[in-house]
Amino acid sequence: MASQDDLFVVLDRQGAVVRYGAELGRIAGWSPSVAMGRPISELVVPLEPTAFPRLDASDQAIAWRGLVALAPVEGHGPSTFVASLTAEPGAGEIWLGAEAVPKTGLRHLGRSGEPAATPIDAGGAAPTVLTAKSLIEAPDSSNMQLLGLILGHLPGFCYSLDANLVFTSSVGAGLRSLSLAEDQIVGTRLYDLYGTRDPTYEPLACHFRALAGFAQTYQDVCMGRSLEYHVRPLRDPNERIVGVVGVAQDVTEREALKEALATVHSQLRQAQKLETIGQLAGGVAHDFNNQLTCILGNLTLAQQHLPPGSRGVRHLTEAAGAAESAAALTRHLLALGRKQLIEPRPLDLSALVHRVQGMLRRLLEAGITLVVENPGTVCPVFADPGQLEQVLINLVVNARDAIAEHGRITIGTERHDCTTACDHPSPELDTGHYVVLFVRDDGCGMSDAVRARVFEPYFTTKPLGEGTGLGLATVFGVVQQNHGTVSVESALGRGSLFRIYLPRLADDAALASSAPGSRSGRNGGTAELPHGTETILLVDDEPLVLEVAQCTLQQLGYEVLACAHADDALRRFEERERHVDLLVTDVVMPRLNGRELAARVAALKPGIPILFTSGYGESIIARHGKLDPAVQFLAKPYRPHELAAKVRGLLDGVARSAVSPTGT
């Protein structure tokens, strides 16, 4: 019989063992070389509460009481005791006294020596007392058989252990998923099943607490399955704890759903961050486009006052070129925020690749070379140039990230005629004539599994926080929207090759769209632009833009009613008794926006042509990001020749409709 007076440990103020009782040393298997001078936290593990009070050199009073386990020593298993840590103020030593766990369990443990409430389970109610009698006594054999059937068909499994943590039963359908038969582990010690006697191991610690009267819940992984265990003390009719009973539930699918939900929440937060960045980018682009409209307009107007070919004209032309480059940057900002309008038109894909290669090179590190393969032939497609630029950016960035330090990225275009005899790159590619945009890199490549998912939204192989998983998904969406298809070839260590197939137009369509004068018109003066004498109501809340547009149209012969806001425009419209031939209005304006102004003007004068201008504001004039075919739009920054062409085209269209009785 162990003497309670001999179950003690004396510690110094730092928590190191100074001496201990012989009986405690025998139970724990301690020797002076094992225990003396060692921190108590290495020899005794607090189970409930799960931490000792802070032990340091201070001389404050200490009062702590809890359930502890002795750390196992070779030949000695972990034993549990109720321990009390005490120290008087100013005392140089700390006393740790130990006593056996009561047979009925612990119901009053406090962290500071004060009584604690009865332990409760996760549901917040006092735990149900399970007794050996309730399991072995049944009114008749039929009830016992029914109980066995219920337990045998549980999706999880139940088990019981005695006071020495030896299995006495195990039953339930869930055992099969662990390759165990019913009662196969009966007679096995819990230590041997887990392969450890470490009381800090959570499953063991929970069973120790259950033997002391505390209901426990924990999770563990066994043979690849996630299991949730609910462990309770098993009592005899006299309320003495005689073992432990546990219920295990397979929660693998539930945990997978929780992980998937956490991933979705993380992706949502990332998407919200991207949306915020996009809104900021769109706002910056809007303001910048207003300034560029003013710069480009004034440069063009200034050229009219200088002799053709003079040094001044050359300087102004170079300045206009720099402004054009800045305009391209704002397009990329709008593309980043998904704020650009989708305006598909005939274009030469080869020319587009040539135009953006300088910007693409700025995305690459010094050790990566960009090579452009241009066949010198026109590659005409019908698509939105801003979208195709974004596709190129995403593919090049993806290729850059696949290259460790030094490498090569090749981009280019080519024609491809797909006939019934050719090898189709994908089942979606029909026979016909195509333009191919390709991006090739010599980076790390992809496995078959990654390649199969490469276009999935939010799928990324980059570390957390370094990739959104949206770059290639955006590429796939843009290509599909433009009636094309995309293929990818890759192998680990051999780089990747992306090919985008877009339907090819007749050459003349692309040549017409890229003919001189249809793009920048940097050197053109108003003399070569279409003139007119109609009355135009011009509205823009940016004074510099309003002045440039007014000056341009007035020099072309139009009568211009310039207004800085919508209220002024409505007043001027009424003053002229609605004798206005065309409304040109900005979209984003205070109080009354451009679309609302246009609706009021159209109600007063049905059929009046309307031209919207904006450096942003697609949510007001576009539906689902795409411009309504009936809406005429001129994106900022616009050049004088673009404004002149749009205005003349709208007015001539109205005139033709008035002449034709059928409106054709």
Side-chain angles (χ1 to χ4, degrees):
M1 187 81 178
S3 170
Q4 292 291 118
D5 295 338
D6 214 19
L7 297 176
F8 71 88
V9 182
V10 177
L11 313 174
D12 62 20
R13 276 291 180 169
Q14 284 77 27
V17 176
V18 176
R19 60 184 182 277
Y20 55 87
E23 183 61 21
L24 184 62
R26 184 191 65 79
I27 296 173
W30 292 347
S31 65
S33 62
V34 169
M36 298 298 289
R38 289 183 65 182
I40 191 63
S41 58
E42 296 180 4
L43 300 170
V44 179
V45 178
L47 297 177
E48 185 65 34
T50 56
F52 285 129
R54 181 178 178 181
L55 304 178
D56 52 30
S58 65
D59 57 359
Q60 296 179 349
I62 296 176
W64 181 93
R65 180 176 170 82
L67 177 68
V68 301
L70 301 179
V73 177
E74 186 174 356
H76 295 77
S79 303
T80 55
F81 291 91
V82 178
S84 299
L85 273 178
T86 57
E88 297 296 329
E93 294 181 334
I94 302 172
W95 179 272
L96 187 153
E99 60 185 87
V101 178
K103 293 294 184 181
T104 56
L106 298 175
R107 294 180 181 271
H108 299 284
L109 274 181
R111 295 177 183 271
S112 305
E114 299 177 357
T118 300
I120 59 174
D121 60 15
T128 302
V129 175
L130 300 175
T131 68
K133 182 178 180 181
S134 67
L135 291 179
I136 63 176
E137 290 186 0
D140 53 48
S141 60
S142 62
N143 283 347
M144 197 65 184
Q145 183 181 15
L146 179 61
L147 177 61
L149 287 172
I150 292 173
L151 293 177
H153 287 82
L154 282 175
F157 59 91
C158 300
Y159 63 92
S160 60
L161 304 104
D162 63 18
N164 295 316
L165 296 182
V166 175
F167 282 93
T168 56
S169 68
S170 61
V171 61
L175 289 168
R176 289 193 292 271
S177 65
L178 306 179
S179 300
L180 293 174
E182 290 187 357
D183 290 336
Q184 180 179 340
I185 57 176
V186 170
T188 303
R189 293 176 66 89
L190 189 66
Y191 308 137
D192 299 330
L193 183 68
Y194 285 125
T196 181
R197 294 171 176 260
D198 184 2
T200 63
Y201 181 52
E202 185 63 13
L204 285 184
C206 286
H207 284 84
F208 285 142
R209 295 187 191 107
L211 280 176
F214 296 93
Q216 298 288 293
T217 298
Y218 70 95
Q219 286 190 14
D220 194 18
V221 177
C222 183
M223 299 186 67
R225 307 298 296 177
S226 294
L227 302 176
E228 183 174 83
Y229 292 83
H230 300 269
V231 184
R232 302 291 185 268
L234 180 63
R235 302 176 186 272
D236 66 10
N238 296 318
E239 290 292 300
R240 292 178 300 184
I241 296 175
V242 295
V244 172
V245 63
V247 177
Q249 179 183 3
D250 192 328
V251 293
T252 304
E253 285 71 25
R254 187 190 75 185
E255 293 302 305
L257 288 174
K258 285 172 61 177
E259 184 177 345
L261 183 61
T263 300
V264 170
H265 285 165
S266 175
Q267 292 170 346
L268 177 60
R269 289 191 295 270
Q270 185 70 12
Q272 290 171 337
K273 292 178 183 178
L274 290 174
E275 178 65 21
T276 301
I277 294 173
Q279 291 175 354
L280 176 62
V284 171
H286 168 257
D287 294 339
F288 203 42
N289 279 334
N290 276 331
Q291 304 302 316
L292 287 173
T293 301
C294 175
I295 293 170
L296 288 168
N298 279 297
L299 288 173
T300 302
L301 295 175
Q303 290 183 31
Q304 302 171 26
H305 304 289
L306 296 174
S310 65
R311 178 178 297 178
V313 169
R314 290 197 299 272
H315 290 326
L316 292 177
T317 301
E318 290 300 321
E324 295 283 357
S325 298
L329 292 176
T330 62
R331 286 198 303 273
H332 299 319
L333 277 176
L334 290 173
L336 171 66
R338 310 291 197 272
K339 300 297 183 183
Q340 80 276 28
L341 282 168
I342 301 172
E343 293 184 280
R345 58 177 180 266
L347 59 91
D348 180 7
L349 189 54
S350 296
L352 183 144
V353 171
H354 179 75
R355 186 172 68 250
V356 302
Q357 61 176 309
M359 184 271 300
L360 294 176
R361 284 192 169 90
R362 289 194 291 271
L363 298 174
L364 305 180
E365 298 174 358
I368 301 176
T369 302
L370 179 67
V371 177
V372 179
E373 293 183 358
N374 194 325
T377 57
V378 174
C379 292
V381 296
F382 186 77
D384 178 82
Q387 281 192 316
L388 292 187
E389 288 177 7
Q390 187 62 44
V391 165
L392 257 177
I393 292 172
N394 289 3
L395 289 176
V396 169
V397 168
N398 183 74
R400 177 200 67 189
D401 293 343
I403 297 174
E405 295 181 0
H406 301 279
R408 178 189 181 102
I409 299 174
T410 303
I411 62 174
T413 55
E414 60 188 14
R415 293 177 174 230
H416 177 75
D417 296 320
C418 186
T419 64
T420 56
C422 75
D423 294 329
H424 289 200
S426 71
E428 293 81 11
L429 189 64
D430 297 324
T431 57
H433 306 292
Y434 294 88
V435 167
V436 181
L437 170 66
F438 61 86
V439 176
R440 181 191 305 114
D441 68 75
D442 57 2
C444 61
M446 293 177 279
S447 66
D448 292 342
V450 171
R451 189 173 69 250
R453 302 184 59 192
V454 72
F455 296 114
E456 291 182 13
Y458 300 111
F459 174 74
T460 178
T461 58
K462 298 174 184 175
L464 183 65
E466 294 186 16
T468 64
L470 293 174
L472 294 180
T474 300
V475 169
F476 185 81
V478 168
V479 173
Q480 291 282 309
Q481 191 174 37
N482 286 280
H483 310 290
T485 187
V486 56
S487 68
V488 56
E489 301 173 18
S490 184
L492 287 175
R494 301 180 62 181
S496 302
L497 171 60
F498 287 83
R499 287 193 181 96
I500 293 172
Y501 295 80
L502 297 173
R504 191 170 79 225
L505 297 179
D507 292 354
D508 290 347
L511 289 173
S513 69
S514 59
S518 66
R519 293 187 180 273
S520 63
R522 294 177 186 171
N523 299 323
T526 57
E528 60 191 61
L529 300 180
H531 289 55
T533 58
E534 292 88 346
T535 301
I536 298 174
L537 181 60
L538 177 66
V539 190
D540 200 304
D541 65 330
E542 178 59 48
L544 295 177
V545 174
L546 183 65
E547 181 181 353
V548 169
Q550 179 184 9
C551 184
T552 298
L553 294 173
Q554 285 177 338
Q555 289 190 16
L556 295 173
Y558 297 102
E559 181 181 359
V560 181
L561 307 177
C563 304
H565 51 80
D567 292 334
D568 187 27
L570 289 172
R571 181 182 60 79
R572 298 286 295 276
F573 188 74
E574 290 289 352
E575 288 177 355
R576 295 298 299 264
E577 297 181 351
R578 308 176 188 176
H579 293 158
V580 174
D581 301 297
L582 172 67
L583 170 64
V584 179
T585 178
D586 188 22
V587 176
V588 180
M589 296 186 297
R591 295 192 66 248
L592 203 65
N593 65 51
R595 187 153 195 150
E596 294 167 333
L597 171 63
R600 293 197 185 184
V601 170
L604 296 172
K605 186 176 180 178
I608 183 174
I610 300 170
L611 175 62
F612 292 104
T613 69
S614 181
Y616 189 41
E618 84 298 336
S619 60
I620 298 176
I621 59 174
R623 297 182 184 277
H624 307 296
K626 193 167 186 177
L627 203 62
D628 190 314
V631 176
Q632 295 295 323
F633 177 75
L634 180 60
K636 295 179 181 177
Y638 56 76
R639 295 77 176 162
H641 78 278
E642 293 173 330
L643 176 62
K646 275 283 189 180
V647 166
R648 192 67 261 161
L650 280 170
L651 293 171
D652 290 346
V654 172
R656 285 193 297 270
S657 298
V659 171
S660 174
T662 62
T664 59

